[in-house]
Amino acid sequence: MARRMNGEGTIRQRKDGLYEVRFSSKPDLATGKKKRISKYAKTRAEAIKIRNELQLQYGSGAAAPISLTLGEWLPHWLELYARPSVRHSTYVSYEGYVRNHLIPALGAVPLDKLVPSDIQRFYLRKLKEDRLAPKTIANLNACLHRALQQAVKEQIIPSNPCDAVDLPRKEAVEIAVLTREQQAKLMQESYHHRYGVFIRLALSTGMRIGEIVGLRWDDVDLTNRILFVRSTLNRLPTIDGENKTEIFVGTPKTKNGRRSIPLFNAIITDLEEWRKRQEADAQLAQSAYENTGYVVTNELGKPIEPRTFRDYYARVLKASGLPHFTFHALRHTFATRAIEQHMDVKALSKILGHASVGFTLDTYAHLLDDHKRESMMLMENLYVSPVNQHTQTDEKLIYLSFPVRKIEKNNTP
């Protein structure tokens, strides 16, 4: 049946499943006639959006209330707004938050009845009972906030209840870093393995694994000793396929992620030798070889996905006799060595592709504290006590140079 909305339009579901929006505008001032409009939508949420747009264009400009649950709105928002506008990896995360967390817990709540305390209690349950990390809850909130903000824009709800929610404080994450001795062992072992050059590349640039396997020769300038991080390669779940994954080539998440990194001479030599290895692979494989343009390739010229490269790295790590370190620990190790060698933090932030210098400072605060202490010690000679530098006579002169107040007897204070 049609839902009447204060004489400003109706929505009804037809037998074929489509939703029909019928709308009559206010009478035209010149002719006195109303404009009658009929439009169709696949979902109820989409029909409400059409109805609201018609009201803004032809009606009073105020959307009449309609009961729409969060469980109805979120899939509509995912498909119509999130999917075309965010990175594939972000969409996959959003879809997982909606399906696994938001709809099971809050899906039945009408949008106009959803209040901050509902969301706050939901987050507390996820924190205490489901043991979700504060960072995961923050990501979950970012998804919900974005979805509800679109509902605000469409005048379905007057305000965003996520604005009044307090998120749990993020816990400091302990960063795993190789010692100098461990780094030396890993680098020495890497020379005995086909892809060892890229372990050394990670230790020399701080690049992420997706950035390394996504590197193309067009991104490497061996003459000027610089490389450009322009793309990433990852295996991610498909949007339409159930329990299926696919290789996706994308761009770094942020503008700062697209960056240039100067290279050591030793890395230039490594890359030149690796290119010769690729040429030998091509000669050996003949027609079976595929020139994909990627830097990290197998014997047939095809790119290597992160999961495969992580497995390879784990074998090199084990062969070097070291305990387990994630590949991301190489990035932290590069940053640690850079700070220990007194690299400018702003320059380091640019090389790492961080969103801000502040993020770099927060991430490596414990290292920077030691760096600050060492830097302060360099100032020590400028502030040596006069007692240690002058004779007793000099000390008296210095002491007498200060004004002395004469106190008269019988003077009351």
Side-chain angles (χ1 to χ4, degrees), residues 100-227:
N100 298 322
H101 300 285
L102 291 170
I103 288 182
L106 300 172
V109 181
L111 278 181
D112 58 349
K113 302 297 182 184
L114 185 65
V115 295
S117 59
D118 293 332
I119 303 172
Q120 191 75 55
R121 280 191 291 269
F122 166 64
Y123 290 158
L124 287 176
R125 286 199 309 272
K126 288 295 175 182
L127 182 68
K128 294 180 179 180
E129 297 176 14
D130 294 353
R131 302 290 183 181
L132 290 188
K135 185 178 185 301
T136 303
I137 293 176
N139 293 340
L140 184 61
N141 182 70
C143 171
L144 180 58
H145 186 282
R146 188 164 183 169
L148 293 178
Q149 195 59 35
Q150 186 61 43
V152 172
K153 291 178 182 178
E154 297 184 21
Q155 301 185 29
I156 297 172
I157 54 176
S159 60
N160 193 331
C162 284
D163 288 336
V165 170
D166 288 330
L167 296 177
R169 185 172 57 185
K170 293 181 182 179
E171 299 172 353
V173 179
E174 188 173 346
I175 294 174
V177 175
L178 280 73
T179 66
R180 287 177 179 263
E181 182 181 0
Q182 289 172 329
Q183 180 177 348
K185 285 183 178 180
L186 181 59
M187 291 188 68
Q188 184 176 5
E189 179 63 31
S190 70
Y191 284 98
H192 302 295
H193 299 266
R194 174 181 170 90
Y195 300 109
V197 53
F198 303 112
I199 293 175
R200 298 194 295 277
L201 180 65
L203 285 167
S204 303
T205 61
M207 291 173 68
R208 302 175 180 90
I209 190 168
E211 296 169 342
I212 289 178
V213 296
L215 194 65
R216 303 177 67 91
W217 282 114
D218 289 343
D219 303 323
V220 183
D221 186 345
L222 295 176
T223 302
N224 294 307
R225 296 194 290 275
I226 194 169
L227 67 77

Side-chain angles (χ1 to χ4, degrees), residues 380-389:
E380 187 175 21
N381 290 337
L382 300 177
Y383 294 90
V384 175
S385 169
V387 174
N388 298 328
Q389 282 192 339

Side-chain angles (χ1 to χ4, degrees), residues 339-356:
I339 291 172
E340 289 173 352
Q341 295 301 114
H342 306 287
M343 181 185 289
D344 177 71
V345 178
K346 186 174 182 180
L348 175 60
S349 183
K350 292 287 187 182
I351 290 172
L352 293 173
H354 283 166
S356 67

Side-chain angles (χ1 to χ4, degrees), residues 278-291 299-301:
Q278 282 185 321
E279 293 171 353
D281 288 340
Q283 290 180 355
L284 187 62
Q286 295 295 324
S287 60
Y289 191 85
E290 184 179 353
N291 187 7
E299 289 84 350
L300 298 179

Side-chain angles (χ1 to χ4, degrees), residues 295-311:
V295 175
V296 188
T297 55
N298 62 17
E299 289 84 350
L300 298 179
K302 295 181 179 180
I304 296 176
E305 63 177 276
R307 182 175 56 185
T308 303
F309 194 85
R310 283 193 187 94
D311 292 341

